[in-house]
Amino acid sequence: MFIITISRQTASLGNEIAELLAGRLGVRLITRDFVLENWLPEVASEHELNILKESSKVYNREFKEGKTFAEYIENKLKKTADENSVIIRGLGSQVIFRDHPLAFHIRIVAGQKTRTQRIREKYGLKEKQAQRSLELGDRKRRRYVWRIYDRDWTEASLYHICLNTDGISSENAVKLLINFLEIRKEAP
């Protein structure tokens, strides 16, 4: 069994790599959207779900017997990872599983120029609009990890590998990560 956590910058190909890697390895990919659609409706009202989609502040709100939404998610992630191999994209999973012996933490990044170009091509935005989109996306991820776990998501020690996707396709990135996982399995 294994746990792979993936943290990514906006437009770094992190979403695509996570999906491809999960498919290649035949394991479940757990994402924020999965949690919002499958786990949180068990404990959150429709109104709370809408707020949870928009702001990381609400994740620290208590909802039942002193438990916060963030604690609920963390417990569900740990239970799922105890039962099956899993890939978790985001959700502060690099912090949740930082000391887990079966966890492998990946950070996916790309240069500003590359990410801006990807956003421009995908959404047909002008350069300033694309840069603003990157800024907002990265800020949202950074704030979640900071608010919930009081950690800087860019801290290198949270990851086993940081993969820069400038000039690398999603497919080749997945091949590289699978090779790295194989090497890591062989290490004592």
Side-chain angles (χ1 to χ4, degrees):
M1 287 209 338
F2 59 83
I3 303 162
I4 298 173
T5 71
I6 297 178
S7 176
R8 77 271 181 229
Q9 289 180 314
T10 302
S12 64
L13 300 180
N15 294 343
E16 297 85 343
I17 291 167
E19 290 170 13
L20 281 170
L21 189 59
R24 235 7 102 62
L25 298 175
V27 299
R28 177 191 281 176
L29 172 62
I30 298 177
T31 66
R32 179 176 172 272
D33 288 341
F34 175 87
V35 168
L36 284 165
E37 293 169 14
N38 295 283
W39 291 351
L40 288 176
E42 297 171 2
V43 295
S45 69
E46 191 69 35
H47 174 71
E48 288 169 322
L49 284 172
N50 287 328
I51 296 171
L52 287 162
K53 288 176 186 174
E54 299 302 320
S55 174
S56 61
K57 291 178 187 177
V58 184
Y59 285 86
N60 279 328
R61 182 182 294 170
E62 293 180 3
F63 69 90
K64 182 177 160 185
E65 300 168 7
K67 186 182 273 190
T68 67
F69 291 111
E71 290 168 331
Y72 177 78
I73 293 167
E74 185 171 331
N75 290 337
K76 292 284 275 188
L77 287 171
K78 287 178 177 178
K79 183 177 186 301
T80 301
D82 283 344
E83 297 169 355
N84 297 294
S85 292
V86 65
I87 296 176
I88 307 165
R89 188 184 73 209
L91 300 167
S93 55
Q94 73 275 36
V95 179
I96 295 168
F97 294 101
R98 71 181 165 267
D99 296 322
H100 196 290
L102 301 177
F104 177 62
H105 308 292
I106 302 166
R107 177 157 166 80
I108 301 175
V109 301
Q112 184 76 16
K113 184 177 178 182
T114 301
R115 296 187 312 130
T116 300
Q117 187 60 34
R118 287 176 181 159
I119 290 285
R120 289 184 71 194
E121 289 173 6
K122 185 172 183 176
Y123 299 107
L125 300 176
K126 296 191 184 310
E127 185 151 352
K128 291 283 187 204
Q129 293 171 313
Q131 288 172 346
R132 180 73 177 143
S133 178
L134 291 177
E135 185 181 310
L136 293 173
D138 287 346
R139 183 184 310 152
K140 190 173 187 175
R141 289 181 177 92
R142 180 176 53 248
R143 280 186 179 163
Y144 181 85
V145 174
W146 184 259
R147 280 188 176 134
I148 307 304
Y149 299 106
D150 195 29
R151 298 295 294 263
D152 179 356
W153 76 314
T154 65
E155 184 182 326
S157 66
L158 292 174
Y159 307 98
H160 293 101
I161 189 170
C162 179
L163 178 61
N164 184 330
T165 61
D166 284 350
I168 300 175
S169 69
S170 298
E171 186 65 40
N172 284 334
V174 168
K175 289 176 186 175
L176 179 71
L177 291 171
I178 289 173
N179 285 335
F180 195 86
L181 289 167
E182 289 298 322
I183 291 167
R184 188 162 185 265
K185 272 194 235 178
E186 295 169 8

